[in-house]
Amino acid sequence: MIELRTPREIEQMRPAGRFVAETLTALADAADVGVNLLDLDALAHERIRKHGAESCYIDYHPSFGAMPFGKVLCTSVNDAVLHGLPRDYRLRDGDLLSVDFAASVDGWVSDSALSIIVGTPRDEDVRLIDVTTQALQAGIRAANVGGRVGDISAAIAEIAHSAGYSINTDFGGHGVGRTMHGDPHIPNDGRAGRGYPLRPGLVIAIEPWFLQSTDKIVTDADGWTLRSADGSRGAHMEHTIAITEDGPLVLTAR
Ligand code: MF3
Ligand code: CO
């Protein structure tokens, strides 16, 4: 079921967006050569506690998950791109790290992700992150009243394809509200003018993710972490936005 939020409710969703954004900024600042992924998770956990927020991940147990997630962050390194379960790993020079974080504040969820390079960047990683960022921005720009979900999907896909990346549509964006995942699904590929009409008050996460040289993913032995099938690296960028009469409002803007 698709729920539309009133302008007042969208105002109430702002603190969650701000909290998620500030936490991601803190994590990006903290992520450095030698830093353990478990320390990043602990940092986010501590911020949740101090803020009186609630983690959307820790008890998350969808049908595809082997067990409840148990951590508050997804940390996906290099060939891992989504749902990276934080593990005892120290970041190395040149690692491509994607961090995905969702939490609820005052009963409203925000969900956001970013990819960064730790230490010395490789050109192909910079490009992958740039294109993923551009795809997110194009998706957001297409999120206007009067349009359709397919406009967002097509805008994302256009950026990926013109940069030469293929798209895996197993995971994509989604409605966001009292819970992390709601309708409608926002695929990272699709046709403009198709799909659910974009109405004022629709709150969604838009989250393009691309892999360097494949569209195939495999699940890690930990039961969660999704890696590219060919070992190439991935990037993931996500914002939670509200569709309003005045255009898209990025709740998780940093
Ligand atoms: N935030 C992810 C998404 O955007 C969901 C990750 S849930 C996890 O849909 F528990 F698997 F981490
Ligand atoms: Co999401």
Side-chain angles (χ1 to χ4, degrees), residues 57 100-102 111-113 172-176 180-181 205-207 236 238-240:
Y57 292 179
D100 192 344
F101 181 62
D111 185 2
S112 186
H174 46 89
V176 175
M180 172 168 60
H181 290 143
I206 301 178
E207 48 179 317
H236 178 209
E238 174 177 22
H239 274 309
T240 295

Side-chain angles (χ1 to χ4, degrees), residues 3 5 13 16 56 103-111 174-183 203-205 240:
E3 289 173 277
R5 314 294 170 185
M13 296 180 87
C56 298
S104 98
V105 174
D106 305 332
W108 295 102
V109 170
S110 251
D111 185 2
H174 46 89
V176 175
R178 296 274 181 196
T179 58
M180 172 168 60
H181 290 143
D183 291 331
V203 179
I204 53 174
T240 295

Side-chain angles (χ1 to χ4, degrees), residues 14-30:
R14 281 181 184 268
R18 211 173 302 129
F19 173 70
V20 166
E22 286 171 4
T23 302
L24 278 177
T25 299
L27 289 162
D29 288 347

Side-chain angles (χ1 to χ4, degrees), residues 15 26 30 34 36 43 46 48 75 82 92 108 111 126 129 150-151 163 172 177 184 190 192 198 207 221 232 244 254:
N36 198 303
L43 186 158
E46 180 58 15
I48 286 175
T75 53
L82 296 177
R92 299 184 189 157
W108 295 102
D111 185 2
V126 173
I129 293 175
D151 300 354
L198 302 176
E207 48 179 317
S232 67
T244 79
R254 291 186 296 272

Side-chain angles (χ1 to χ4, degrees), residues 164-199:
Y165 300 119
S166 53
I167 298 167
N168 173 305
T169 51
D170 292 354
F171 297 90
H174 46 89
V176 175
R178 296 274 181 196
T179 58
M180 172 168 60
H181 290 143
D183 291 331
H185 178 55
I186 314 290
N188 287 329
D189 195 0
R191 288 172 65 181
R194 302 289 179 94
Y196 181 80
L198 302 176
R199 300 201 161 98

Side-chain angles (χ1 to χ4, degrees), residues 45-122:
H45 214 153
E46 180 58 15
R47 284 185 63 99
I48 286 175
R49 196 192 59 77
K50 275 211 191 114
H51 201 87
E54 238 177 90
S55 169
C56 298
Y57 292 179
I58 201 155
D59 298 322
Y60 186 59
H61 193 179
S63 51
F64 59 81
M67 61 219 126
F69 193 69
K71 302 286 182 200
V72 303
L73 273 189
C74 297
T75 53
S76 306
V77 180
N78 297 339
D79 61 322
V81 63
L82 296 177
H83 300 177
L85 186 65
R87 66 197 161 97
D88 182 9
Y89 172 83
R90 288 189 187 282
L91 290 166
R92 299 184 189 157
D93 189 48
D95 276 351
L96 197 174
L97 170 69
S98 301
V99 181
D100 192 344
F101 181 62
S104 98
V105 174
D106 305 332
W108 295 102
V109 170
S110 251
D111 185 2
S112 186
L114 54 75
S115 292
I116 56 166
I117 294 161
V118 177
T120 320
R122 301 185 192 180

